[in-house]
Amino acid sequence: MTALTTSKRKFNKILENISASSSTTSLASLSKKNASAMSVAAVQNEPPSKRNRKSLSGDSLTSVEGDRPDTAASASSQFNPSASSLSLAQRARSIRMIKKDKEKESTEPKKAPNYTPWSHEHFVERMKSFSDVMRWGPKPDKLNEVEWAKRGWVCENLNTVACKGGCEKRLVIKLEPKEKDSEKKDTEGGGLEDRLEELLAGDLDEALVDRYAKLMVEGHDEGCLWRKAGCKEDIYHVPMASYEDHVKPGLIERHKSLLNIRYKLPPLENLKYPGTNPERLEKALPEELTQPLSSENFEAAAPSDSTDQKDIEKRTQLFALYGWYGEDRGKYSIAFCHECHQRVGLWMYLGEDLKLDLVETHRVHCPWLNPDSQGGRPIWEQLQKRLLNRIRETASSIYTTQSSEPHDIGDIRPPSSAADSEKTDKTRMNRLKKAMKSFGGRRKK
């Protein structure tokens, strides 16, 4: 009995020891968990001025003091440095890629926007695409190149217009004479020349012309801005109001381009031009146009035969006054217009047979020739009027300056003698006596 009691006591002690060891182990683990939780809470509750955060500086990672509160992810990254460094390295690579893309965008030239109905420069560029006679022929007024360019179209191919950079729509313009006339020509044996004459004469189907006039607007895509509104009516107008801003720079630019081909310009007797005599306008021209050409350093070489330099100066001035630029193409040189893009082969007018009209050679719609495109008067007429006004202003300013100068008093008063002075005094005394008598007064002696 005693032995049984002793064994029970030993067994109970063993159980107590086992339970005690398990309880201490659980308490230790619990204390560790509480300590870790308290450390995380301390990190989260730490003031912003005392916390550190990771920042990028090039390819390396540096620790700097931050003023932004860390999130739970940043707190957990402190316990897992490999994961945080990996994510930051990826961010560094992405930032470098973004910087490279921005540098490429800055170096690449930006394309001009397609919809610029206010830009005269872009309008003239679109007009240039219609200048090739191999692609674009004469059309009725409703369908001429000016109307197509006002709606954002450019000539892409033979009688084909396109909305480049916009909705990318394309239209092919096919104009045919009236059916009755064409059938009549076919029966009479008319050929291609007769049909061309009909096209130039304007004997076309009006319904077809009106249809193309509608397609000028409706041919654009529904979302295209050119369908909503086109250029204004005065988009072809070239400003000529200011001499310093408009007239003078244009004259100098045209004259400078003509100097390289000055010896290839047609002689004066082969040139026709309206308006005022150029010699009268010479006083108002810029100095660059009136300087002796011999002092200029240009590529044009003087011909072997003796040529009057004064005559050459007049030729270049005339071409500049009527809107022409010069281009040297080696053996053959041309004159061209920046507004209508008309080109003239100068070699055709060097003989005595043909004469070059400096105004009528411009295209029909050019503001140098057409008063409607310029708003009342063509450019050449406005230019000459502005130069004449400048001459009058200069003359009036000189006259005002001379008349405002002070004169000597001796020059103003007429010369007088003692007898004249005595006579004048007597006349004054007689007038004074008459005045006293009329008022009933007496003169004191």
Side-chain angles (χ1 to χ4, degrees), residues 55-79:
S55 66
L56 295 175
S57 176
D59 297 334
S60 62
L61 302 175
T62 59
S63 176
V64 297
E65 290 188 359
D67 54 354
R68 187 172 58 186
D70 293 337
T71 59
S74 63
S76 62
S77 65
Q78 293 181 359
F79 298 98

PDB file of all heavy atoms in Angstrom, residues 55-79:
ATOM      1  N   SER A  55      15.345  56.290 -50.831  1.00  0.00           N
ATOM      2  CA  SER A  55      15.178  57.148 -51.995  1.00  0.00           C
ATOM      3  C   SER A  55      16.190  56.749 -53.048  1.00  0.00           C
ATOM      4  O   SER A  55      17.209  56.134 -52.741  1.00  0.00           O
ATOM      5  CB  SER A  55      15.366  58.623 -51.626  1.00  0.00           C
ATOM      6  OG  SER A  55      16.693  58.841 -51.237  1.00  0.00           O
ATOM      7  N   LEU A  56      15.895  57.163 -54.290  1.00  0.00           N
ATOM      8  CA  LEU A  56      16.736  56.793 -55.420  1.00  0.00           C
ATOM      9  C   LEU A  56      17.629  57.959 -55.796  1.00  0.00           C
ATOM     10  O   LEU A  56      17.183  59.089 -55.878  1.00  0.00           O
ATOM     11  CB  LEU A  56      15.860  56.412 -56.618  1.00  0.00           C
ATOM     12  CG  LEU A  56      15.011  55.153 -56.423  1.00  0.00           C
ATOM     13  CD1 LEU A  56      14.120  54.962 -57.623  1.00  0.00           C
ATOM     14  CD2 LEU A  56      15.882  53.948 -56.224  1.00  0.00           C
ATOM     15  N   SER A  57      18.869  57.662 -56.061  1.00  0.00           N
ATOM     16  CA  SER A  57      19.800  58.661 -56.577  1.00  0.00           C
ATOM     17  C   SER A  57      20.637  57.988 -57.645  1.00  0.00           C
ATOM     18  O   SER A  57      21.653  57.358 -57.363  1.00  0.00           O
ATOM     19  CB  SER A  57      20.673  59.214 -55.456  1.00  0.00           C
ATOM     20  OG  SER A  57      21.614  60.111 -55.974  1.00  0.00           O
ATOM     21  N   GLY A  58      20.182  58.084 -58.908  1.00  0.00           N
ATOM     22  CA  GLY A  58      20.876  57.400 -59.996  1.00  0.00           C
ATOM     23  C   GLY A  58      20.645  55.916 -59.885  1.00  0.00           C
ATOM     24  O   GLY A  58      19.536  55.418 -59.792  1.00  0.00           O
ATOM     25  N   ASP A  59      21.744  55.145 -59.884  1.00  0.00           N
ATOM     26  CA  ASP A  59      21.655  53.696 -59.801  1.00  0.00           C
ATOM     27  C   ASP A  59      21.775  53.192 -58.370  1.00  0.00           C
ATOM     28  O   ASP A  59      21.549  52.014 -58.101  1.00  0.00           O
ATOM     29  CB  ASP A  59      22.760  53.052 -60.643  1.00  0.00           C
ATOM     30  CG  ASP A  59      22.590  53.413 -62.103  1.00  0.00           C
ATOM     31  OD1 ASP A  59      21.442  53.700 -62.490  1.00  0.00           O
ATOM     32  OD2 ASP A  59      23.591  53.416 -62.833  1.00  0.00           O
ATOM     33  N   SER A  60      22.211  54.000 -57.425  1.00  0.00           N
ATOM     34  CA  SER A  60      22.415  53.564 -56.049  1.00  0.00           C
ATOM     35  C   SER A  60      21.223  53.938 -55.204  1.00  0.00           C
ATOM     36  O   SER A  60      20.444  54.806 -55.542  1.00  0.00           O
ATOM     37  CB  SER A  60      23.686  54.204 -55.485  1.00  0.00           C
ATOM     38  OG  SER A  60      23.535  55.604 -55.470  1.00  0.00           O
ATOM     39  N   LEU A  61      21.112  53.279 -54.048  1.00  0.00           N
ATOM     40  CA  LEU A  61      20.033  53.519 -53.111  1.00  0.00           C
ATOM     41  C   LEU A  61      20.625  54.159 -51.878  1.00  0.00           C
ATOM     42  O   LEU A  61      21.551  53.629 -51.268  1.00  0.00           O
ATOM     43  CB  LEU A  61      19.341  52.199 -52.739  1.00  0.00           C
ATOM     44  CG  LEU A  61      18.752  51.407 -53.909  1.00  0.00           C
ATOM     45  CD1 LEU A  61      18.212  50.084 -53.411  1.00  0.00           C
ATOM     46  CD2 LEU A  61      17.672  52.208 -54.570  1.00  0.00           C
ATOM     47  N   THR A  62      20.128  55.301 -51.497  1.00  0.00           N
ATOM     48  CA  THR A  62      20.621  56.004 -50.317  1.00  0.00           C
ATOM     49  C   THR A  62      19.484  56.205 -49.355  1.00  0.00           C
ATOM     50  O   THR A  62      18.316  56.313 -49.749  1.00  0.00           O
ATOM     51  CB  THR A  62      21.218  57.358 -50.707  1.00  0.00           C
ATOM     52  OG1 THR A  62      20.224  58.116 -51.355  1.00  0.00           O
ATOM     53  CG2 THR A  62      22.426  57.177 -51.623  1.00  0.00           C
ATOM     54  N   SER A  63      19.827  56.284 -48.087  1.00  0.00           N
ATOM     55  CA  SER A  63      18.834  56.471 -47.041  1.00  0.00           C
ATOM     56  C   SER A  63      18.836  57.927 -46.635  1.00  0.00           C
ATOM     57  O   SER A  63      19.859  58.469 -46.244  1.00  0.00           O
ATOM     58  CB  SER A  63      19.171  55.587 -45.844  1.00  0.00           C
ATOM     59  OG  SER A  63      18.268  55.815 -44.797  1.00  0.00           O
ATOM     60  N   VAL A  64      17.712  58.584 -46.778  1.00  0.00           N
ATOM     61  CA  VAL A  64      17.582  59.990 -46.424  1.00  0.00           C
ATOM     62  C   VAL A  64      16.397  60.146 -45.511  1.00  0.00           C
ATOM     63  O   VAL A  64      15.492  59.303 -45.474  1.00  0.00           O
ATOM     64  CB  VAL A  64      17.393  60.861 -47.690  1.00  0.00           C
ATOM     65  CG1 VAL A  64      18.611  60.767 -48.573  1.00  0.00           C
ATOM     66  CG2 VAL A  64      16.149  60.447 -48.437  1.00  0.00           C
ATOM     67  N   GLU A  65      16.393  61.229 -44.787  1.00  0.00           N
ATOM     68  CA  GLU A  65      15.275  61.494 -43.902  1.00  0.00           C
ATOM     69  C   GLU A  65      14.099  61.985 -44.711  1.00  0.00           C
ATOM     70  O   GLU A  65      14.226  62.872 -45.548  1.00  0.00           O
ATOM     71  CB  GLU A  65      15.676  62.542 -42.865  1.00  0.00           C
ATOM     72  CG  GLU A  65      16.674  62.014 -41.851  1.00  0.00           C
ATOM     73  CD  GLU A  65      16.904  63.002 -40.741  1.00  0.00           C
ATOM     74  OE1 GLU A  65      16.293  64.079 -40.801  1.00  0.00           O
ATOM     75  OE2 GLU A  65      17.656  62.688 -39.831  1.00  0.00           O
ATOM     76  N   GLY A  66      12.948  61.421 -44.473  1.00  0.00           N
ATOM     77  CA  GLY A  66      11.759  61.779 -45.235  1.00  0.00           C
ATOM     78  C   GLY A  66      10.747  62.465 -44.361  1.00  0.00           C
ATOM     79  O   GLY A  66      10.791  62.376 -43.140  1.00  0.00           O
ATOM     80  N   ASP A  67       9.823  63.123 -45.017  1.00  0.00           N
ATOM     81  CA  ASP A  67       8.763  63.806 -44.306  1.00  0.00           C
ATOM     82  C   ASP A  67       7.405  63.226 -44.655  1.00  0.00           C
ATOM     83  O   ASP A  67       6.387  63.843 -44.421  1.00  0.00           O
ATOM     84  CB  ASP A  67       8.773  65.295 -44.643  1.00  0.00           C
ATOM     85  CG  ASP A  67       8.712  65.527 -46.126  1.00  0.00           C
ATOM     86  OD1 ASP A  67       8.776  64.523 -46.868  1.00  0.00           O
ATOM     87  OD2 ASP A  67       8.604  66.696 -46.530  1.00  0.00           O
ATOM     88  N   ARG A  68       7.393  61.999 -45.255  1.00  0.00           N
ATOM     89  CA  ARG A  68       6.139  61.366 -45.606  1.00  0.00           C
ATOM     90  C   ARG A  68       5.986  60.124 -44.748  1.00  0.00           C
ATOM     91  O   ARG A  68       6.909  59.319 -44.636  1.00  0.00           O
ATOM     92  CB  ARG A  68       6.133  61.007 -47.098  1.00  0.00           C
ATOM     93  CG  ARG A  68       4.790  60.496 -47.584  1.00  0.00           C
ATOM     94  CD  ARG A  68       4.794  60.355 -49.080  1.00  0.00           C
ATOM     95  NE  ARG A  68       5.861  59.462 -49.526  1.00  0.00           N
ATOM     96  CZ  ARG A  68       6.155  59.262 -50.796  1.00  0.00           C
ATOM     97  NH1 ARG A  68       5.492  59.901 -51.721  1.00  0.00           N
ATOM     98  NH2 ARG A  68       7.117  58.431 -51.131  1.00  0.00           N
ATOM     99  N   PRO A  69       4.844  59.883 -44.143  1.00  0.00           N
ATOM    100  CA  PRO A  69       4.671  58.717 -43.269  1.00  0.00           C
ATOM    101  C   PRO A  69       4.779  57.433 -44.053  1.00  0.00           C
ATOM    102  O   PRO A  69       4.273  57.308 -45.161  1.00  0.00           O
ATOM    103  CB  PRO A  69       3.272  58.914 -42.687  1.00  0.00           C
ATOM    104  CG  PRO A  69       2.584  59.807 -43.646  1.00  0.00           C
ATOM    105  CD  PRO A  69       3.623  60.695 -44.221  1.00  0.00           C
ATOM    106  N   ASP A  70       5.477  56.434 -43.442  1.00  0.00           N
ATOM    107  CA  ASP A  70       5.637  55.130 -44.078  1.00  0.00           C
ATOM    108  C   ASP A  70       4.358  54.331 -43.945  1.00  0.00           C
ATOM    109  O   ASP A  70       3.618  54.441 -42.972  1.00  0.00           O
ATOM    110  CB  ASP A  70       6.783  54.340 -43.433  1.00  0.00           C
ATOM    111  CG  ASP A  70       8.116  55.010 -43.703  1.00  0.00           C
ATOM    112  OD1 ASP A  70       8.178  55.747 -44.697  1.00  0.00           O
ATOM    113  OD2 ASP A  70       9.054  54.801 -42.917  1.00  0.00           O
ATOM    114  N   THR A  71       4.103  53.503 -44.912  1.00  0.00           N
ATOM    115  CA  THR A  71       2.951  52.621 -44.890  1.00  0.00           C
ATOM    116  C   THR A  71       3.337  51.305 -44.240  1.00  0.00           C
ATOM    117  O   THR A  71       4.492  51.066 -43.883  1.00  0.00           O
ATOM    118  CB  THR A  71       2.449  52.385 -46.312  1.00  0.00           C
ATOM    119  OG1 THR A  71       3.509  51.805 -47.065  1.00  0.00           O
ATOM    120  CG2 THR A  71       2.032  53.697 -46.961  1.00  0.00           C
ATOM    121  N   ALA A  72       2.344  50.438 -44.137  1.00  0.00           N
ATOM    122  CA  ALA A  72       2.620  49.122 -43.543  1.00  0.00           C
ATOM    123  C   ALA A  72       3.569  48.324 -44.412  1.00  0.00           C
ATOM    124  O   ALA A  72       4.390  47.553 -43.925  1.00  0.00           O
ATOM    125  CB  ALA A  72       1.302  48.360 -43.352  1.00  0.00           C
ATOM    126  N   ALA A  73       3.481  48.564 -45.757  1.00  0.00           N
ATOM    127  CA  ALA A  73       4.383  47.835 -46.649  1.00  0.00           C
ATOM    128  C   ALA A  73       5.814  48.263 -46.436  1.00  0.00           C
ATOM    129  O   ALA A  73       6.741  47.454 -46.462  1.00  0.00           O
ATOM    130  CB  ALA A  73       3.966  48.065 -48.104  1.00  0.00           C
ATOM    131  N   SER A  74       6.033  49.577 -46.201  1.00  0.00           N
ATOM    132  CA  SER A  74       7.400  50.036 -45.967  1.00  0.00           C
ATOM    133  C   SER A  74       7.923  49.537 -44.638  1.00  0.00           C
ATOM    134  O   SER A  74       9.110  49.250 -44.480  1.00  0.00           O
ATOM    135  CB  SER A  74       7.442  51.563 -46.019  1.00  0.00           C
ATOM    136  OG  SER A  74       6.636  52.093 -44.984  1.00  0.00           O
ATOM    137  N   ALA A  75       7.017  49.432 -43.633  1.00  0.00           N
ATOM    138  CA  ALA A  75       7.450  48.906 -42.342  1.00  0.00           C
ATOM    139  C   ALA A  75       7.823  47.444 -42.451  1.00  0.00           C
ATOM    140  O   ALA A  75       8.801  46.987 -41.863  1.00  0.00           O
ATOM    141  CB  ALA A  75       6.334  49.094 -41.309  1.00  0.00           C
ATOM    142  N   SER A  76       7.042  46.721 -43.240  1.00  0.00           N
ATOM    143  CA  SER A  76       7.371  45.299 -43.401  1.00  0.00           C
ATOM    144  C   SER A  76       8.620  45.111 -44.225  1.00  0.00           C
ATOM    145  O   SER A  76       9.340  44.133 -44.074  1.00  0.00           O
ATOM    146  CB  SER A  76       6.192  44.576 -44.051  1.00  0.00           C
ATOM    147  OG  SER A  76       5.967  45.110 -45.343  1.00  0.00           O
ATOM    148  N   SER A  77       8.915  46.090 -45.123  1.00  0.00           N
ATOM    149  CA  SER A  77      10.119  45.959 -45.940  1.00  0.00           C
ATOM    150  C   SER A  77      11.377  46.108 -45.112  1.00  0.00           C
ATOM    151  O   SER A  77      12.441  45.632 -45.505  1.00  0.00           O
ATOM    152  CB  SER A  77      10.113  47.006 -47.053  1.00  0.00           C
ATOM    153  OG  SER A  77      10.187  48.298 -46.492  1.00  0.00           O
ATOM    154  N   GLN A  78      11.269  46.755 -43.942  1.00  0.00           N
ATOM    155  CA  GLN A  78      12.444  46.863 -43.084  1.00  0.00           C
ATOM    156  C   GLN A  78      12.840  45.498 -42.523  1.00  0.00           C
ATOM    157  O   GLN A  78      14.004  45.250 -42.236  1.00  0.00           O
ATOM    158  CB  GLN A  78      12.157  47.834 -41.943  1.00  0.00           C
ATOM    159  CG  GLN A  78      11.987  49.274 -42.428  1.00  0.00           C
ATOM    160  CD  GLN A  78      11.729  50.223 -41.282  1.00  0.00           C
ATOM    161  OE1 GLN A  78      11.663  49.783 -40.130  1.00  0.00           O
ATOM    162  NE2 GLN A  78      11.588  51.491 -41.592  1.00  0.00           N
ATOM    163  N   PHE A  79      11.847  44.626 -42.359  1.00  0.00           N
ATOM    164  CA  PHE A  79      12.151  43.276 -41.882  1.00  0.00           C
ATOM    165  C   PHE A  79      12.527  42.356 -43.029  1.00  0.00           C
ATOM    166  O   PHE A  79      12.986  41.255 -42.812  1.00  0.00           O
ATOM    167  CB  PHE A  79      10.930  42.699 -41.135  1.00  0.00           C
ATOM    168  CG  PHE A  79      10.574  43.502 -39.916  1.00  0.00           C
ATOM    169  CD1 PHE A  79       9.566  44.447 -39.970  1.00  0.00           C
ATOM    170  CD2 PHE A  79      11.268  43.332 -38.721  1.00  0.00           C
ATOM    171  CE1 PHE A  79       9.245  45.186 -38.863  1.00  0.00           C
ATOM    172  CE2 PHE A  79      10.935  44.085 -37.617  1.00  0.00           C
ATOM    173  CZ  PHE A  79       9.921  45.016 -37.673  1.00  0.00           C
TER     174      PHE A  79
END
